[in-house]
Amino acid sequence: MAKKCSVIAKSLSWCSGTRVTPGIRRRFRWVPYDHIAKFPTLEVDELGNPVSETYTGNFELVEGAKWLTIDHLVEKAEFSSQTQGTKPSATFLNTVKMLHPGIGKEAAAATAGMINIDIIGLVEDMQGNYRVVGSENYPATATVERAHGTGATGEAGTTITVTGSDIVDAPFYGGEIVTDDGTINETA
């Protein structure tokens, strides 16, 4: 009897003239990994291959926890994904690099709290889709670099880079995001 193997390959078309708006919006959301009580699900087949690029359900946070926000300069932000590893264990490394213009006490305190812990991040693309950096199996990590600039016109700011591996190229998330400013994507 032949072994049943799934093939997840799909066609990928594009219509000439279709606008692709680059970049990400100015607010990065993140939460410490330990503040997540339950992860949404990413559907996979019987062999563990993803069959969807979108999470189902919500990130359920522990009582009192909320998604934290980092404002950054849109024109300095980079969001990318690249494959890593080799078959049959290749995954995606999803990375967001952003420049927060502050270099003072507030920036130092906020970034100190994210460098030695596992996190999960949310990036909003220019079409209004939230994409996830980090996953239940592979939490994201943050690195921080501060520059005071040079001379009277040098660029000053705090660069925060968040990287996380996943089986999908930065999965989409349409669930609730509870922040200090209210709930985004609130369900009725």
Side-chain angles (χ1 to χ4, degrees):
M1 181 170 178
K3 183 187 244 183
K4 181 184 178 216
C5 296
S6 67
V7 177
I8 59 172
K10 296 179 181 179
S11 294
L12 182 62
S13 62
W14 179 73
C15 295
S16 182
T18 302
R19 178 174 299 279
V20 177
T21 307
I24 59 174
R25 296 194 177 164
R26 72 180 284 265
R27 293 196 139 176
F28 176 78
R29 313 288 181 172
W30 72 280
V31 67
Y33 182 88
D34 290 344
H35 289 189
I36 300 172
K38 183 180 177 191
F39 279 78
T41 57
L42 193 60
E43 188 179 352
V44 296
D45 66 15
E46 63 275 2
L47 300 175
N49 295 314
V51 296
S52 176
E53 71 294 327
T54 304
Y55 276 110
T56 302
N58 292 314
F59 281 99
E60 295 178 20
L61 305 183
V62 298
E63 187 174 336
K66 294 182 181 177
W67 288 88
L68 303 169
T69 302
I70 296 174
D71 289 334
H72 60 87
L73 302 176
V74 171
E75 62 276 6
K76 300 287 184 178
E78 296 177 37
F79 180 44
S80 63
S81 296
Q82 65 182 37
T83 56
Q84 62 181 356
T86 58
K87 68 179 181 180
S89 301
T91 57
F92 288 93
L93 180 63
N94 302 310
T95 303
V96 60
K97 183 176 182 180
M98 62 207 120
L99 177 66
H100 174 77
I103 56 173
K105 292 179 181 180
E106 199 173 74
T111 56
M114 68 187 313
I115 61 167
N116 287 313
I117 63 172
D118 292 331
I119 68 173
I120 298 294
L122 296 176
V123 177
E124 186 180 9
D125 68 23
M126 290 302 192
Q127 291 74 39
N129 299 303
Y130 284 93
R131 309 286 297 263
V132 181
V133 179
S135 64
E136 186 171 12
N137 291 330
Y138 310 108
T141 58
T143 59
V144 178
E145 181 181 343
R146 181 194 31 78
H148 277 268
T150 57
T153 60
E155 184 173 80
T158 302
T159 301
I160 303 160
T161 304
V162 177
T163 57
S165 297
D166 211 320
I167 60 171
V168 174
D169 169 11
F172 290 82
Y173 176 67
E176 291 186 340
I177 306 165
V178 179
T179 71
D180 284 332
D181 297 330
T183 301
I184 300 167
N185 299 333
E186 189 168 11
T187 57

